[in-house]
Amino acid sequence: MREDVRRDFFAANYARLAGWVRRQVDDDETAHDIAAEAFVRLLSRWSDSHDPHAYLYKVAVNLLRDHWRRSLRERRGLHLAAAEQRDVPDGRPERGADLRAMLQPLPEHQRTALLLHYLAGFSVREVSAIVGRPEGTVKSDLFHARARIRAELDGTDD
């Protein structure tokens, strides 16, 4: 019976999770790797006392962070190599930069709140449960993250 519950949960949620991750990484292979790894970690720690949906997305967000950190290190390395050949701007995202570039400099807790609330569609209450922070703190994280992104788009600093 327990195996059927896990199988049904996977069937009902894998495509949605993979699609959500795909929108974050803009690469099918990476999205499926992250989604699959999130499910492997969930299923290895499955507990009936925890919300598997919340745990699944928490793991996926952590895997996304790891992916972005690796990507950032790679981009910095390429940036440094290119800087040796020409003058390079200060590295801040340009006005029309994509969402990932705008999210990258945000503190981890703000970026996580934004990803879960606006891109995954979780309510503030659900985000609070997933990240283990009070609802008021999540609201504050969202407010400050929006302000930082708005300042970046306007070309000003906080």
Side-chain angles (χ1 to χ4, degrees):
M1 171 77 176
R2 192 173 185 153
E3 190 64 32
D4 290 339
V5 170
R6 292 177 186 180
R7 189 176 304 115
D8 291 345
F9 182 81
F10 178 85
N13 291 282
Y14 180 82
R16 181 175 181 218
L17 177 67
W20 178 75
V21 173
R22 168 68 172 81
R23 289 188 300 274
Q24 311 315 309
V25 298
D26 200 30
D27 175 54
D28 285 334
E29 185 176 343
T30 302
H32 284 286
D33 287 347
I34 289 173
E37 180 63 23
F39 267 98
V40 166
R41 291 183 187 191
L42 167 69
L43 295 174
S44 71
R45 296 176 187 255
W46 187 275
S47 171
D48 293 333
S49 64
H50 297 294
D51 177 3
H53 194 255
Y55 185 79
L56 179 67
Y57 275 83
K58 186 173 186 173
V59 169
V61 166
N62 289 335
L63 292 169
L64 276 168
R65 278 190 215 133
D66 292 344
H67 169 75
W68 286 338
R69 283 186 196 118
R70 279 190 308 275
S71 296
L72 181 61
R73 283 192 301 268
E74 291 169 3
R75 284 193 307 272
R76 283 183 180 158
L78 291 172
H79 182 74
L80 290 173
E84 293 174 359
Q85 297 176 0
R86 61 178 169 75
D87 292 332
V88 180
D90 66 2
R92 288 181 47 190
E94 293 180 18
R95 221 177 142 91
D98 67 357
L99 179 60
R100 280 189 301 279
M102 287 186 282
L103 292 177
Q104 191 62 40
L106 292 175
E108 205 168 285
H109 59 278
Q110 291 177 2
R111 186 172 52 241
T112 300
L114 275 173
L115 286 172
L116 290 172
H117 183 66
Y118 291 110
L119 300 177
F122 288 104
S123 70
V124 170
R125 175 174 283 154
E126 291 168 325
V127 173
S128 172
I130 291 169
V131 300
R133 293 169 63 100
E135 285 182 47
T137 304
V138 170
K139 288 177 184 178
S140 176
D141 290 343
L142 291 169
F143 173 82
H144 291 292
R146 286 189 310 263
R148 288 183 70 156
I149 290 173
R150 191 175 303 112
E152 186 67 36
L153 290 172
D154 292 342
T156 62
D157 291 326
D158 298 352

